[in-house]
Amino acid sequence: MVYVTSQRKDIVRNEGFRTVIIMKIDFSGLESTAPLCGASSEMFDGFSTSPSFQIPDTTDFDDFQKEAIQMVKPAKGTTTLAFIFKEGVMVAADSRASMGGYISSQSVKKIIEINPYMLGTMAGGAADCQFWHRNLGIKCRLHELANKRRISVTGASKLLANILYSYRGMGLSVGTMIAGWDEKGPGLYYVDSEGGRLKGTKFSVGSGSPYAYGVLDSGYRYDMTIEEAAELARRSIYHATFRDGASGGVASGMLCFIMWDQPDGRSYLVMTLGNFTICTIQLNQPLSSRRCPKLEFLCYSI
Amino acid sequence: MTKQQANWSPYDNNGGTCVAIAGADYCVIAADTRMSTGYSILTRDYSKICKLADKCVMASSGFQADVKALQKVLSARHLIYQHQHNKQMSCPAMGQLLSNTLYYKRFFPYYSFNVLGGLDNEGKGCVYTYDAVGSYERVGYSSQGSGATLITPFLDNQLKSPSPLLLPAKDAVTPLSETEAIDLVKTCFASATERDIYTGDKLEIVVLNADGICREYMELRKD
């Protein structure tokens, strides 16, 4: 087995008598910021050392990736949206995952909790988004421990964007929004696997996003109440699922997350509908406090 | 200069189907035992099910060489975990481990479609379903492999539960009893065998409950 270490590995192509180096692959995204402690023994080599991606031993990397992805057909997510308004950040997503033309799941959680005050959305490759958001959560926590303060949304989105940029061209498919609340208030960034990173107040990502944008843009006002914002988000996702075959999801009922910080008793409304997941984050507690808001669940019937 | 196409692919599809159903205090994992390549049958007696931990069983279809390698990696990691933590890995932990193991081969994927079944820390049945590169989800039932497109709609009809995204978290596990779930699985495979050439020969059913693991077999059509 070929193990690629954390140094760059050059992909080499032989053209006739010349050897052409065509790609440098940077695996620094997998390294943690904390140093690995303890000596690595022979027995654990390959397990406790820094993990790395195995690369196929082929002359035509791009074609191989294309074929491999077509064959395994990894699950893809579809319509997500997020916007900032007066009360906070509203995040919404559908719940369908498709594998090629087959619907692999109607109940995918596309809103991923990076940490208790930051959410990420999933659009594009499901595995890519799940893995890199979890990796981002680890990095954010390490940042917190190393610097004794929470990472900002700007910082977290930059971390993710840099990692994705280093894998640019390798076939990752990630279209995500990082939404959260930090010292500067609500933050919303769009990050994609091409390496793009945009700060904004309103985004929609996925195959159903044109439809969602139409409804979102026409109904958006900065000074909405939470109920109006939730209704707008719900309507946008609904219209996207109506017209886009790759978006959807089946469920019924309405439910709520209520996030509150026990010590001071303030509560923050986070709503989730059956097949559309809508969350609001309001985290206006002092950042110096290290208390994490607890997620509690309530149920509303429709 | 014309581009040369690769004549050799590192992958092959050995076919087969796997199903898992989670119950209130049990979990049923089943897979057929046919291994094929192209239109040929390699063997009629190949087990696709692997016990990873006391409370965790994995069934995989796809390319069995990759499946075998994956099972070895997971068993080795589980052994190390046992030495380090002095206990068996729980099913949710194994679920996350499998996801990471699959994703670390993101650029050279394991051609393996897995379902992981077992009992969670509370003793309730849990089933995790995966795609080939590691995206996973806890569900009440799942089917993977060549017959999955035939079996999943039937299971949706019989077992469709409220979405796990709803709150209060409704159990995705089925209210069926253990014997009813086993019967359902047998029915699924009997039907899938009729219409899928890669599914058949024999059905291996593994049931995990508080008493342990038990295995039974059922004959399927051999044509």
Side-chain angles (χ1 to χ4, degrees):
Chain A
M1 279 221 273
V2 175
Y3 275 99
V4 181
T5 64
S6 55
Q7 269 75 53
R8 290 166 163 222
K9 164 101 177 151
D10 297 344
I11 294 272
V12 167
R13 175 164 65 197
N14 287 315
E15 288 182 59
F17 295 108
R18 289 181 301 133
T19 302
V20 178
I21 296 175
I22 55 168
M23 255 174 96
K24 282 187 180 292
I25 300 165
D26 178 8
F27 292 116
S28 56
L30 289 174
E31 286 167 28
S32 65
T33 51
L36 289 170
C37 58
S40 66
S41 67
E42 276 294 314
M43 191 165 59
F44 293 120
D45 264 357
F47 289 119
S48 67
T49 50
S50 197
S52 47
F53 284 120
Q54 233 183 314
I55 299 292
D57 206 9
T58 170
T59 49
D60 200 346
F61 184 78
D62 296 318
D63 258 2
F64 182 86
Q65 283 307 308
K66 236 186 290 191
E67 276 174 33
I69 291 305
Q70 264 170 7
M71 186 181 57
V72 299
K73 290 203 194 57
K76 284 179 157 279
T78 49
T79 307
T80 58
L81 63 86
F83 56 88
I84 294 179
F85 66 114
K86 182 177 54 136
E87 305 282 350
V89 184
M90 180 67 76
V91 183
D94 73 319
S95 65
R96 176 174 290 187
S98 48
M99 275 165 85
Y102 179 70
I103 296 174
S104 55
S105 174
Q106 299 274 41
S107 57
V108 177
K109 230 175 119 207
K110 291 191 189 173
I111 302 200
I112 303 166
E113 290 118 22
I114 297 167
N115 58 42
Y117 56 97
M118 245 194 277
L119 294 179
T121 59
M122 174 204 294
D128 294 334
C129 291
Q130 275 183 5
F131 181 88
W132 289 113
H133 279 128
R134 192 158 184 266
N135 187 274
L136 179 65
I138 293 170
K139 289 205 154 40
C140 290
R141 179 71 184 139
L142 288 170
H143 174 102
E144 238 179 81
L145 291 170
N147 297 282
K148 280 202 184 160
R149 55 185 244 153
R150 282 185 186 157
I151 193 170
S152 60
V153 181
T154 316
S157 61
K158 192 69 173 173
L159 272 177
L160 182 63
N162 286 342
I163 292 170
L164 293 177
Y165 182 77
S166 63
Y167 288 96
R168 193 175 132 100
M170 303 222 3
L172 292 188
S173 167
V174 171
T176 183
M177 294 177 285
I178 308 293
W181 190 294
D182 56 25
E183 287 165 344
K184 296 202 179 76
L188 179 61
Y189 284 83
Y190 163 77
V191 179
D192 70 22
S193 47
E194 306 304 304
R197 174 175 165 264
L198 298 171
K199 182 180 162 80
T201 49
K202 214 188 322 154
F203 286 114
S204 173
V205 184
S207 56
S209 64
Y211 309 105
Y213 267 131
V215 177
L216 183 60
D217 284 336
S218 62
Y220 176 81
R221 282 173 303 118
Y222 179 76
D223 48 357
M224 285 186 285
T225 62
I226 294 178
E227 288 78 22
E228 287 172 343
E231 180 56 23
L232 176 65
R234 192 191 65 77
R235 264 194 313 123
S236 308
I237 295 284
Y238 169 75
H239 284 284
T241 60
F242 190 72
R243 282 291 174 181
D244 178 33
S247 302
V250 178
S252 60
M254 181 170 164
L255 44 82
C256 289
F257 288 72
I258 298 212
M259 226 152 91
W260 68 67
D261 190 8
Q262 285 292 71
D264 63 4
R266 273 186 285 185
S267 65
Y268 307 97
L269 178 67
V270 172
M271 282 178 16
T272 308
L273 299 186
N275 48 337
F276 325 111
T277 313
I278 299 181
C279 303
T280 313
I281 323 173
Q282 291 185 57
L283 291 160
N284 41 1
Q285 69 226 31
L287 263 295
S288 54
S289 89
R290 284 153 137 264
R291 297 181 297 252
C292 287
K294 270 178 33 175
L295 277 168
E296 289 281 347
F297 304 128
L298 280 189
C299 174
Y300 286 100
S301 62
I302 279 191
Chain B
M1 181 164 44
T2 50
K3 195 191 250 200
Q4 275 190 314
Q5 298 296 338
N7 297 322
W8 179 82
S9 163
Y11 296 113
D12 186 17
N13 189 353
N14 297 123
T17 310
C18 313
V19 167
I21 300 180
D25 59 353
Y26 66 88
C27 187
V28 177
I29 299 104
D32 71 321
T33 58
R34 175 177 287 182
M35 183 159 144
S36 1
T37 175
Y39 284 127
S40 308
I41 294 179
L42 290 170
T43 177
R44 297 188 188 275
D45 201 7
Y46 189 83
S47 172
K48 298 185 182 60
I49 302 182
C50 170
K51 177 184 153 192
L52 296 174
D54 269 351
K55 295 206 161 75
C56 192
V57 170
M58 176 172 86
S60 323
S61 76
F63 181 36
Q64 292 302 324
D66 271 354
V67 167
K68 192 58 119 191
L70 183 61
Q71 287 170 355
K72 279 181 168 182
V73 168
L74 291 173
S75 302
R77 289 298 298 268
H78 183 231
L79 193 58
I80 293 174
Y81 181 96
Q82 283 180 289
H83 287 139
Q84 289 178 337
H85 296 91
N86 202 24
K87 64 173 184 176
Q88 295 263 330
M89 242 173 153
S90 66
C91 196
M94 187 60 86
Q96 183 69 64
L97 176 65
L98 175 54
S99 172
N100 287 343
T101 309
L102 290 170
Y103 197 81
Y104 278 124
K105 292 263 283 165
R106 169 67 174 74
F107 301 117
F108 190 3
Y110 286 112
Y111 189 10
S112 154
F113 298 98
N114 314 290
V115 279
L116 195 74
L119 302 173
D120 66 9
N121 296 316
E122 295 156 16
K124 284 208 291 254
C126 69
V127 169
Y128 291 92
T129 183
Y130 295 81
D131 73 349
V133 281
S135 110
Y136 79 116
E137 198 197 337
R138 180 172 176 172
V139 286
Y141 59 89
S142 168
S143 165
Q144 292 277 6
S146 55
T149 45
L150 298 167
I151 292 180
T152 310
F154 176 61
L155 289 179
D156 279 341
N157 176 268
Q158 298 291 307
L159 296 176
K160 185 73 178 185
S161 50
S163 168
L165 294 175
L166 289 177
L167 291 177
K170 290 204 179 71
D171 274 340
V173 298
T174 170
L176 291 179
S177 73
E178 198 177 302
T179 25
E180 286 172 341
I182 296 176
D183 269 341
L184 184 63
V185 160
K186 290 180 177 172
T187 314
C188 286
F189 272 90
S191 311
T193 308
E194 297 289 321
R195 293 288 181 176
D196 178 30
I197 61 174
Y198 298 113
T199 305
D201 290 332
K202 213 159 58 161
L203 171 64
E204 183 184 1
I205 307 176
V206 170
V207 184
L208 264 137
N209 52 25
D211 303 326
I213 298 187
C214 83
R215 207 175 282 253
E216 73 175 271
Y217 293 91
M218 182 183 100
E219 296 294 321
L220 294 171
R221 281 181 71 140
K222 299 184 187 320
D223 59 0

